[in-house]
Amino acid sequence: MQHEKQLIEEQGYVVLKNFFEKDYINNLRKKAENIFEIQFKRFGYNEDFQSNMIRLFNEHESVFINCGKIIQSGLIELYKLPVEDKLISKVKELGIKFPNLCTRPVLFFNHPKLAKEEVYYKTPPHQDWLSMESSMNSLVVWVPLVDVGKENGTILIWPGTHKLGPLPFDSVGGFAKVEVEGEFIQPELEVGDIAIFSTLLIHGSGDILNDTIRWSCHYRYTDMLEQDYIERDFPNPYVYKPLTKK
């Protein structure tokens, strides 16, 4: 445990193998797929799942987007994972004294044919902290819902870059893109593994070369007891509100 905390402090990240049962993670992904499958059935799509996803994106983009919104806003399995006792305990062990989820959970289903711009499946080097303004010791929990490696663009990590602090950035597709030098690593993770890293760590995602959907979900924890965060008045730059129809 102390070794894991030391890795976070020195390298900015730690990979935990077999943290969750594979069936638990596979069920989460399947429940997300079920949302899309309801619309596949409506439109009479009967090909394999990925072909149906691409067809829905091309033929009914607004429906595709709404499926994603419904998943992000309330898929029970997506919201259950970040409050599992073992994960909360791990976040505390890594230095978060009073953990609080500071953004809604995020679930990504990335593929070049499910995006109109590259940034939506191949994210640039960025720091999550810049959009969150959370505690300086805040953490991201990155959970692959499929096995990930170089072929499907697993996470890119620039070790130690969290020590640079908040950097100047350009907003690109909702990501706080930053300039970075040095070598990155691209860890391979299997279903059940997780990566935990500082929100200040520069990271991104690689290219998808094997024509598969890269499924992952992301959770962000701030520390309510960190003094700097307290003195910054608990900033919360996210706005969730309904659209007003004319």
Side-chain angles (χ1 to χ4, degrees), residues 7-14 139 159-160 162 196-198 201:
L7 285 173
I8 290 285
E9 293 172 350
E10 295 181 358
Q11 297 296 315
Y13 76 97
V14 63
L139 296 172
H162 63 303
I196 303 180
F197 54 90
S198 165
L201 185 75

Side-chain angles (χ1 to χ4, degrees), residues 37-98:
E37 288 169 342
I38 294 169
Q39 293 294 344
F40 297 166
K41 182 177 180 181
R42 172 194 178 194
F43 292 115
Y45 296 172
N46 55 15
E47 298 178 75
D48 63 276
F49 183 86
Q50 181 167 310
S51 297
N52 288 340
M53 283 283 277
I54 294 169
R55 185 175 177 185
L56 186 67
F57 178 77
N58 290 329
E59 296 180 0
H60 302 281
E61 183 182 350
S62 64
V63 177
F64 179 90
I65 291 171
N66 284 343
C67 287
K69 287 181 176 180
I70 288 293
I71 291 168
Q72 308 288 359
S73 64
L75 185 71
I76 291 172
E77 290 75 13
L78 179 66
Y79 280 73
K80 180 182 177 183
L81 188 151
V83 295
E84 292 285 2
D85 288 343
K86 67 180 299 184
L87 184 54
I88 296 300
S89 295
K90 181 57 65 177
V91 168
K92 288 180 177 179
E93 289 172 10
L94 296 176
I96 305 291
K97 294 179 180 178
F98 185 161

Side-chain angles (χ1 to χ4, degrees), residues 155-174:
I155 188 170
L156 308 177
I157 290 173
W158 280 263
T161 51
H162 63 303
K163 297 177 182 179
L164 298 173
L167 296 172
F169 69 95
D170 293 316
S171 183
V172 179

Side-chain angles (χ1 to χ4, degrees), residues 11 91 107 134 154 204 221:
Q11 297 296 315
V91 168
L107 189 147
S134 48
T154 185
Y221 298 85

Side-chain angles (χ1 to χ4, degrees), residues 12-245:
Y13 76 97
V14 63
V15 172
L16 303 177
K17 305 293 289 184
N18 301 309
F19 190 82
F20 288 111
E21 294 290 335
K22 292 183 184 294
D23 287 347
Y24 182 86
I25 299 300
N26 286 332
N27 181 62
L28 194 166
R29 190 194 71 251
K30 184 58 182 175
K31 291 296 185 180
E33 291 175 348
N34 289 161
I35 301 296
F36 288 99
E37 288 169 342
I38 294 169
Q39 293 294 344
F40 297 166
K41 182 177 180 181
R42 172 194 178 194
F43 292 115
Y45 296 172
N46 55 15
E47 298 178 75
D48 63 276
F49 183 86
Q50 181 167 310
S51 297
N52 288 340
M53 283 283 277
I54 294 169
R55 185 175 177 185
L56 186 67
F57 178 77
N58 290 329
E59 296 180 0
H60 302 281
E61 183 182 350
S62 64
V63 177
F64 179 90
I65 291 171
N66 284 343
C67 287
K69 287 181 176 180
I70 288 293
I71 291 168
Q72 308 288 359
S73 64
L75 185 71
I76 291 172
E77 290 75 13
L78 179 66
Y79 280 73
K80 180 182 177 183
L81 188 151
V83 295
E84 292 285 2
D85 288 343
K86 67 180 299 184
L87 184 54
I88 296 300
S89 295
K90 181 57 65 177
V91 168
K92 288 180 177 179
E93 289 172 10
L94 296 176
I96 305 291
K97 294 179 180 178
F98 185 161
N100 191 63
L101 287 166
C102 52
T103 67
R104 291 192 305 194
V106 177
L107 189 147
F108 285 155
F109 33 90
N110 302 110
H111 189 280
K113 293 181 181 178
L114 300 176
K116 291 191 172 182
E117 297 179 42
E118 183 180 79
V119 66
Y120 296 120
Y121 67 89
K122 183 183 177 182
T123 57
H126 64 281
Q127 292 177 310
D128 287 345
W129 189 93
L130 297 170
S131 65
M132 297 163 52
E133 301 178 22
S134 48
S135 65
M136 300 306 290
N137 62 340
S138 54
L139 296 172
V140 177
V141 177
W142 194 88
V143 184
L145 305 182
V146 294
D147 295 347
V148 291
K150 291 183 179 180
E151 288 300 304
N152 60 349
T154 185
I155 188 170
L156 308 177
I157 290 173
W158 280 263
T161 51
H162 63 303
K163 297 177 182 179
L164 298 173
L167 296 172
F169 69 95
D170 293 316
S171 183
V172 179
F175 297 95
K177 179 182 178 182
V178 300
E179 297 297 323
V180 61
E181 298 180 353
E183 297 294 320
F184 62 80
I185 64 166
Q186 195 168 11
E188 294 186 358
L189 291 88
E190 298 179 343
V191 171
D193 301 344
I194 64 174
I196 303 180
F197 54 90
S198 165
T199 59
L200 287 165
L201 185 75
I202 299 176
H203 63 288
S205 58
D207 203 353
I208 296 174
L209 306 174
N210 63 356
D211 190 33
T212 61
I213 298 174
R214 184 182 65 237
W215 292 82
S216 62
C217 52
H218 314 229
Y219 305 97
R220 296 163 177 172
Y221 298 85
T222 194
D223 189 345
M224 303 306 297
L225 293 180
E226 196 227 21
Q227 195 61 36
D228 174 74
Y229 188 51
I230 294 170
E231 293 177 0
R232 285 188 286 116
D233 305 329
F234 293 156
N236 187 353
Y238 286 81
V239 178
Y240 303 118
K241 63 180 181 179
L243 294 176
T244 301
K245 291 185 177 181

